[in-house]
Amino acid sequence: MGMKKLKVTIDGKTIEVPENTTVLDAARMLDIQIPTLCHHPKLTPFGGCRLCIVEIKGIPRPVTSCTTPASDGMEVTTSSPQMEDLRKTVLELILSDHPNDCMVCEKAGDCTLQELAYFYGIRENRFAGERRIYEKKDGNPFLERDMEKCILCGRCVKVCDEVQGVGAIDFTYRGFKSKICPPYEKDLNCEFCGQCVAVCPTGALTGKQWSLRGRQKDIKEIDTICPYCGTGCNITLHVRRNDVVRITSREDTWNEGWLCVKGRFGYKFINSPDRLKKPLIRITPKKDTGNRGYGDTEKNFTHSPIHPFTVSSNFREVSWNEALDYIAERLNDIKSKHGADAIGGLSSARCTNEENYLFQKFMRAAVGTNNVDHCARL
Amino acid sequence: MNKSITIQVCMGTGGMAAGGSEVLDAFESLMREKNIPAEFKKECSMHKVGCRGLCARDVLVDVIADNRRTIYQYIKPEMVERIVDEHIVGGNPVSEWQVDEDYHKFHEKQVKVVLSDCGNIDPEDINAYMAVDGYKAVEKVFASMTPEEVIDMIKKSGLRGRGGAGFPTGVKWEACRKAEAGQKYIICNADEGDPGAFMDRAVIEGNPHAVIEGMIIGAYAIGASKGYVYIRAEYPLAVERLKKAINVSRERGFLGKNIFGKGFDFDIKIKLGAGAFVCGEETALIASIEGQRGMPRAKPPFPVHRGLWGKPTVINNVETLANIPYIIKKGHEWFSSYGTEKSKGTKVFALTGKIKNSGLIEVPMGITLREIIYDIGGGIENEKALKAVQTGGPSGGCITTGMLDINMDYESLAKVGSIVGSGGMIVLDEDDCMVNVAKYFLQFTQSESCGKCVPCRIGTKRLLEIMDRITKGAGRQGDIELLEKLSNDIKAASLCGLGQTAPNPVLSTIKYFREEYEAHLQGKCPAKACNELLTYHIIEEFCKGCGACLRACPAGAITGEKKKPHTIAPEICIKCGACFDVCKFKAVGKE
């Protein structure tokens, strides 16, 4: 059963597209640029910003290309003096209710609205008027919401509902007073996954930790894998002067650009002074502080530099070779005295599947025990 | 001696507000007290009826004695005893309480189809509806018509949607019939939201069964097994009567499984709306039924293809549906004998504003505005001059005195930049400032914008700001052109009908009253309605020095000795107009 193909002509170029393709997607297949603000390829079409309007032969008024399904024989014009004029009016209207403080905005240089204002050459605003003024209130350590910069494109609402399945925010009020906020305008109290931040096309939603750490133009992007769990999401570190200032994820990865609160915001450990960078071996205290009633421990662990029941906070920094040798020696010791089943291994959900495979292999083949488990099984 | 007595008390929302239920109670207790049915061996019935149209005269009471109908107006409970004594017992109608010539003139040119039983039958009694051939249309449909034949008949009748857009009802039904799906829906749009429009409320309050019957026929035609009535919670009486009507219809087997024993299932649910104007827009209405925020979505796809829960859905307005049973019963030729070439049948208008007889009227499409204003409406209140008529509410435009002979139909109104809309008709006189009127409607649409699309959310706000500064004397050169530019862009770029029509009042008042806008830019309001542009002063030769204005002035701006002309200090005056209103000698001038 073959998919029905539809022939669409856009700006004189013809393309065959499958059913349920929108006019916008068809245009993008043809590499025809149509400006958008509220559209996001992973979210259901919205049709609110009105920038992607096009003329379609036979339809008396402009329609939004992001919401209109292509049909066979459709003839589309994406740009005409009237369309560009309408887009300019729409942009001016958006900017008439915007702080326009790009000079101090975190998002400058990486902001769709700023880009469009540049391309449409909007300087004077014919429609200047009242602007919405809101107090900022964000008790949480992750998200910074500056609702005066919000253009009500609805992307955050949809990602929260459609992708995250949380629905922490929605549109409220009507008319010019419309805004997006949690129920009853309370402070945000969600999972703080930051998906909304990821899809916001303006500086309305940003990460608190990003503030004043560097704008996008100074950033070097480094793709890697999130270290937190075995899901292994693709992440991109935004690095400025060897300092991770932000983490994002690309849309063309298997996790489609979506991340959780840890992957997106939990990166402070990277430059934490408490972070362990080399192996440590605990040093045995010089003198035992007394009999703890566990028998003659000294006799059993004569080779041990550590008294096993003494809590010591003294460590010695060692090389990986020394640390591994030490572990091997101790494991062999235990195995020879008490048998392999005296040893058990617990691996981590933070490791990759491959690492976990190797670990169980090590326990079974090298150590010789089936005492192996994994913290995620709990 | 009378053999039968029927007493009908108008108890729509208007009648109830004027004391309709107390009047009916008074009749019932007095008739019981005086033991009238037994004593005079009369057939006696007393019941409520729906809206009669001329709500300004409520409580209206009809006494039908031996088929002779006497209509009383402005009836209060304490007046009931005299009617009972003199008219019902004595046989002599109380002549000074009867309606006058105006009442009859109000009805003379009307043609009642949708409202034909409204105001004559008890809306809460299914037997009353059945006594006027109620549910005969649906019987006829089930007995002898295929769905295609029903659709064909509605198409031939020329019935068009009465909610505003005027889309041919039969064509809509046909598209939905042809859409392939296991489940389809029919929705009755009773989310009447235009300021000044109340015909849908009146129809549901006065004859809910006609709407239900229309829905059953529509459901049969398109193949829908489920229906919704989306009605605003601000219409408690309509909701209550509709609920009762649906329940009793279900008991009779007109709704539910295997209705009329014909193997067809159809039932109706009521969904209460929270009163957002935009929920009258069909896709926003659907979103609201689905439990989402009432926000429209772009069309296509249209609801007939992808509607409620993604299934093919027909949405018809109350008045449209209430027309259906009458078309089926009397035939499409009868229906299309009313109206013009492209606008068939009748239309209910809510005639309000500066008109003598304000109320609900039903007229054949194509009647002239002049007939409505002067024959039905009885002319302008207080002998003032007519200035314009705003039709179609906040989405419509104004019609000027030069266009009084315009035919009231979809095409003619569109040609002059207005719309039939849901049928609101607001009459304006010489005291109304057209800039101010447009600003009023814009305030409404701006605060009712759902906020989804930029041109409507921000554009109408900017329009309103410009209008506001014009009415306050702060207008700038070029503002009129800016209004036109922005209005046209909002119309072209907005997502739904709300934004696409919101600038209409602005454009139409600029088109016909541009000089008023220009006068405002010069700092004058010709109608003397925009307070910021007025100055108040005392005309010395008329002032008797009575001191009434001095006492009325809340700002202490008026000084003067008794019996000598007073003066107003312009720097203190807050232009509230209290002195103007209170002066009996026309000695306060405003300019």
Side-chain angles (χ1 to χ4, degrees):
Chain A
M1 210 175 74
M3 252 303 229
K4 208 178 140 192
K5 286 275 187 182
L6 312 165
K7 207 175 250 182
V8 191
T9 307
I10 305 176
D11 294 345
K13 294 183 199 168
T14 302
I15 188 172
E16 281 203 344
V17 295
E19 263 187 306
N20 295 325
T21 304
T22 64
V23 173
L24 180 68
D25 287 341
R28 290 191 171 167
M29 287 175 202
L30 284 166
D31 200 26
I32 293 169
Q33 216 185 343
I34 300 176
T36 57
L37 266 175
C38 69
H39 179 74
H40 190 284
K42 309 271 187 201
L43 303 172
T44 53
F46 190 60
C49 76
R50 316 306 289 169
L51 287 172
C52 72
I53 45 171
V54 294
E55 291 167 332
I56 294 175
K57 202 175 169 186
I59 298 180
R61 58 166 51 254
V63 295
T64 41
S65 55
C66 69
T67 59
T68 309
S71 61
D72 203 32
M74 193 179 250
E75 287 177 44
V76 182
T77 310
T78 66
S79 184
S80 68
Q82 206 220 340
M83 289 299 101
E84 296 304 336
D85 194 43
L86 284 176
R87 286 180 186 136
K88 194 168 179 224
T89 297
V90 167
L91 269 174
E92 256 182 273
L93 286 171
I94 294 172
L95 291 168
S96 74
D97 182 31
H98 193 80
N100 300 325
D101 57 354
C102 305
M103 273 193 247
V104 290
C105 182
E106 203 59 48
K107 194 84 172 178
D110 186 29
C111 171
T112 321
L113 183 59
Q114 196 187 35
E115 276 299 286
L116 288 166
Y118 163 74
F119 277 115
Y120 282 85
I122 292 164
R123 185 166 278 273
E124 296 296 308
N125 200 317
R126 291 168 290 173
F127 311 119
E130 186 193 333
R131 209 160 59 67
R132 290 166 302 148
I133 303 294
Y134 297 124
E135 255 173 57
K136 281 190 194 175
K137 55 170 173 190
D138 278 303
N140 76 80
F142 307 110
L143 302 180
E144 176 86 3
R145 293 178 299 151
D146 185 349
M147 298 319 281
E148 291 174 23
K149 292 180 185 168
C150 173
I151 58 165
L152 282 97
C153 69
R155 284 193 194 183
C156 52
V157 175
K158 274 183 294 165
V159 79
C160 193
D161 178 34
E162 294 170 10
V163 175
Q164 206 63 15
V166 170
I169 45 172
D170 205 341
F171 287 82
T172 50
Y173 297 102
R174 293 192 174 269
F176 189 68
K177 293 190 188 112
S178 302
K179 70 186 272 196
I180 290 165
C181 63
Y184 310 107
E185 292 187 86
K186 288 188 174 162
D187 191 8
L188 195 61
N189 184 15
C190 60
E191 328 179 333
F192 305 112
C193 63
Q195 307 281 49
C196 51
V197 173
V199 296
C200 181
T202 71
L205 300 174
T206 55
K208 275 214 166 125
Q209 304 163 62
W210 309 351
S211 175
L212 306 178
R213 301 287 303 279
R215 281 167 168 173
Q216 202 58 23
K217 73 171 178 54
D218 301 324
I219 296 292
K220 193 170 142 198
E221 294 186 2
I222 298 163
D223 293 335
T224 182
I225 305 292
C226 176
Y228 275 105
C229 77
T231 310
C233 291
N234 289 260
I235 58 173
T236 302
L237 308 179
H238 292 232
V239 180
R240 179 176 176 267
R241 296 174 70 88
N242 213 25
D243 189 11
V244 175
V245 299
R246 174 160 56 246
I247 288 178
T248 61
S249 181
R250 299 188 195 279
E251 273 166 33
D252 58 357
T253 54
W254 72 266
N255 52 299
E256 301 190 12
W258 310 132
L259 293 176
C260 72
V261 59
K262 292 199 274 182
R264 193 183 306 280
F265 296 120
Y267 57 85
K268 271 193 171 163
F269 71 89
I270 298 172
N271 295 319
S272 168
D274 296 336
R275 184 176 165 190
L276 296 184
K277 293 178 182 170
K278 286 191 175 153
L280 301 176
I281 292 181
R282 196 172 262 146
I283 301 165
T284 319
K286 291 226 165 63
K287 216 177 102 197
D288 192 3
T289 48
N291 181 14
R292 283 164 195 82
Y294 291 106
D296 186 8
T297 49
E298 286 293 332
K299 211 196 275 174
N300 290 339
F301 300 99
T302 45
H303 298 288
S304 170
I306 308 172
H307 190 294
F309 298 108
T310 304
V311 179
S312 164
S313 55
N314 293 324
F315 292 92
R316 181 163 64 86
E317 207 170 77
V318 296
S319 70
W320 276 107
N321 276 342
E322 189 183 342
L324 291 171
D325 282 350
Y326 175 64
I327 293 167
E329 186 191 336
R330 294 295 316 275
L331 286 176
N332 277 327
D333 244 15
I334 296 165
K335 193 176 164 185
S336 63
K337 281 187 187 150
H338 305 284
D341 282 343
I343 301 170
L346 190 71
S347 82
S348 166
R350 288 195 184 185
C351 300
T352 63
N353 276 338
E354 292 79 359
E355 286 162 343
N356 277 315
Y357 172 80
L358 284 174
F359 184 72
Q360 66 81 31
K361 198 77 179 170
F362 169 76
M363 289 305 290
R364 290 195 170 102
V367 177
T369 179
N370 286 326
N371 293 342
V372 60
D373 213 337
H374 184 283
C375 73
R377 206 177 65 90
L378 292 171
Chain B
M1 179 71 55
N2 300 319
K3 287 201 182 65
S4 75
I5 289 282
T6 305
I7 296 164
Q8 300 181 331
V9 181
C10 178
M11 277 168 67
T13 293
M16 301 270 273
S21 38
E22 289 78 21
V23 169
L24 184 60
D25 284 350
F27 269 110
E28 278 170 349
S29 62
L30 277 168
M31 301 283 270
R32 202 168 37 241
E33 225 172 77
K34 298 183 190 259
N35 202 13
I36 285 167
E39 197 173 323
F40 294 94
K41 296 191 170 52
K42 282 170 191 162
E43 290 267 331
C44 182
S45 86
M46 284 165 280
H47 62 83
K48 59 170 97 53
V49 293
C51 182
R52 315 285 297 273
L54 204 53
C55 304
R57 309 259 171 124
D58 270 326
V59 176
L60 287 160
V61 176
D62 284 17
V63 176
I64 307 161
D66 287 345
N67 296 324
R68 276 208 333 278
R69 187 186 288 263
T70 308
I71 308 169
Y72 294 106
Q73 61 185 11
Y74 301 121
I75 297 306
K76 303 244 168 298
E78 58 270 22
M79 297 158 80
V80 171
E81 187 157 17
R82 188 169 158 205
I83 297 175
V84 172
D85 288 345
E86 291 183 20
H87 187 175
I88 294 167
V89 179
N92 299 311
V94 185
S95 55
E96 70 259 39
W97 293 347
Q98 287 182 42
V99 292
D100 52 15
E101 189 59 23
D102 252 16
Y103 182 89
H104 296 293
K105 274 189 75 180
F106 178 78
H107 288 96
E108 220 165 69
K109 288 209 169 173
Q110 294 195 45
V111 173
K112 298 207 172 186
V113 174
V114 171
L115 299 178
S116 56
D117 296 318
C118 194
N120 287 325
I121 59 168
D122 184 343
E124 294 185 30
D125 182 2
I126 193 170
N127 293 324
Y129 180 63
M130 297 195 53
V132 292
D133 291 338
Y135 290 105
K136 283 270 157 60
V138 75
E139 264 178 37
K140 177 181 168 185
V141 162
F142 279 121
S144 63
M145 293 172 84
T146 63
E148 286 76 15
E149 282 166 348
V150 174
I151 290 170
D152 191 50
M153 190 167 196
I154 300 304
K155 274 170 80 177
K156 280 185 183 150
S157 76
L159 176 67
R160 291 167 65 175
R162 298 296 194 237
F167 191 81
T169 306
V171 176
K172 198 188 256 187
W173 285 12
E174 190 173 44
C176 193
R177 171 95 213 153
K178 284 181 179 163
E180 278 172 36
Q183 177 70 55
K184 292 178 191 175
Y185 296 96
I186 184 165
I187 298 173
C188 169
N189 184 350
D191 190 60
E192 186 172 52
D194 282 16
F198 47 90
M199 59 286 292
D200 293 345
R201 192 198 72 213
V203 169
I204 292 181
E205 283 174 3
N207 195 3
H209 285 288
V211 181
I212 295 170
E213 191 175 5
M215 280 183 82
I216 298 171
I217 295 165
Y220 174 73
I222 63 170
S225 62
K226 284 178 187 164
Y228 285 86
V229 180
Y230 187 88
I231 183 166
R232 44 183 52 222
E234 291 107 313
Y235 282 0
L237 184 64
V239 172
E240 186 195 315
R241 287 186 181 163
L242 188 65
K243 258 186 202 159
K244 275 187 192 164
I246 289 173
N247 287 340
V248 73
S249 300
R250 200 178 288 127
E251 281 164 24
R252 295 281 174 105
F254 299 166
L255 290 175
K257 296 264 175 228
N258 187 24
I259 59 175
F260 292 90
K262 297 287 177 187
F264 181 74
D265 300 341
F266 179 66
D267 212 336
I268 299 174
K269 269 188 192 167
I270 295 177
K271 170 79 190 174
L272 295 186
F277 178 61
V278 74
C279 286
E281 198 281 338
E282 51 186 13
T283 58
L285 188 154
I286 286 172
S288 179
I289 292 181
E290 289 174 349
Q292 313 280 330
R293 172 177 161 99
M295 277 169 124
R297 63 154 176 81
K299 296 183 278 190
F302 291 93
V304 286
H305 297 121
R306 211 184 297 162
L308 184 61
W309 316 113
K311 302 293 181 193
T313 303
V314 154
I315 303 181
N316 288 137
N317 157 270
V318 172
E319 193 187 332
T320 315
L321 287 166
N323 264 304
I324 302 290
Y326 298 99
I327 296 173
I328 299 285
K329 279 184 285 195
K330 298 186 179 178
H332 60 84
E333 297 92 348
W334 163 82
F335 184 81
S336 59
S337 69
Y338 297 109
T340 59
E341 194 200 333
K342 286 184 174 169
S343 304
K344 299 294 186 194
T346 58
K347 173 78 192 100
V348 183
F349 287 100
L351 185 61
T352 57
K354 309 282 181 65
I355 186 99
K356 274 186 191 148
N357 303 326
S358 65
L360 210 57
I361 60 166
E362 184 171 358
V363 288
M365 286 275 188
I367 192 171
T368 64
L369 185 59
R370 187 185 300 279
E371 289 171 284
I372 292 180
I373 302 290
Y374 291 101
D375 298 342
I376 296 171
I380 310 303
E381 261 185 340
N382 303 323
E383 311 307 320
K384 296 266 183 181
L386 172 70
K387 185 169 195 178
V389 178
Q390 172 81 18
T391 65
S395 312
C398 62
I399 303 168
T400 62
T401 46
M403 298 186 278
L404 276 178
D405 292 308
I406 187 174
N407 299 108
M408 300 300 284
D409 60 60
Y410 295 107
E411 281 69 31
S412 309
L413 282 171
K415 221 178 276 174
V416 300
S418 187
I419 57 167
V420 173
S422 61
M425 196 181 271
I426 299 169
V427 181
L428 305 165
D429 72 9
E430 53 188 294
D431 292 340
D432 291 308
C433 165
M434 298 311 288
V435 185
N436 210 25
V437 166
K439 187 177 106 177
Y440 165 79
F441 283 116
L442 206 54
Q443 255 161 355
F444 177 81
T445 38
Q446 154 58 211
S447 59
E448 289 292 339
S449 162
C450 80
K452 180 170 178 172
C453 82
V454 173
C456 182
R457 181 182 77 242
I458 310 178
T460 58
K461 169 74 178 173
R462 299 298 173 235
L463 276 184
L464 183 59
E465 284 173 347
I466 300 169
M467 296 292 281
D468 195 54
R469 68 178 180 236
I470 291 177
T471 57
K472 287 184 173 152
R476 305 167 194 162
Q477 282 310 316
D479 267 356
I480 302 175
E481 293 72 23
L482 190 59
L483 282 173
E484 287 177 312
K485 163 73 182 151
L486 184 53
S487 293
N488 285 320
D489 285 358
I490 293 170
K491 278 170 73 89
S494 287
L495 191 158
C496 83
L498 198 162
Q500 287 161 12
T501 59
N504 282 353
V506 177
L507 285 174
S508 122
T509 49
I510 293 179
K511 186 173 175 189
Y512 297 115
F513 295 93
R514 198 181 184 102
E515 69 286 354
E516 278 198 33
Y517 280 81
E518 280 160 359
H520 280 76
L521 291 184
Q522 306 296 327
K524 291 272 174 239
C525 172
K528 297 181 182 172
C530 296
N531 251 331
E532 271 89 345
L533 298 181
L534 298 178
T535 51
Y536 287 83
H537 62 277
I538 289 176
I539 306 162
E540 282 192 16
E541 64 255 49
F542 295 157
C543 182
K544 309 271 188 230
C546 71
C549 59
L550 192 149
R551 287 188 294 278
C553 179
I558 302 178
T559 50
E561 285 176 41
K562 266 190 184 169
K563 297 189 177 168
K564 283 186 183 164
H566 287 25
T567 49
I568 301 175
E571 67 282 4
I572 305 174
C573 174
I574 57 166
K575 301 171 179 182
C576 68
C579 53
F580 184 87
D581 293 338
V582 82
C583 181
K584 289 176 190 154
F585 311 105
K586 296 193 172 168
V588 178
K590 56 177 177 180
E591 267 168 29

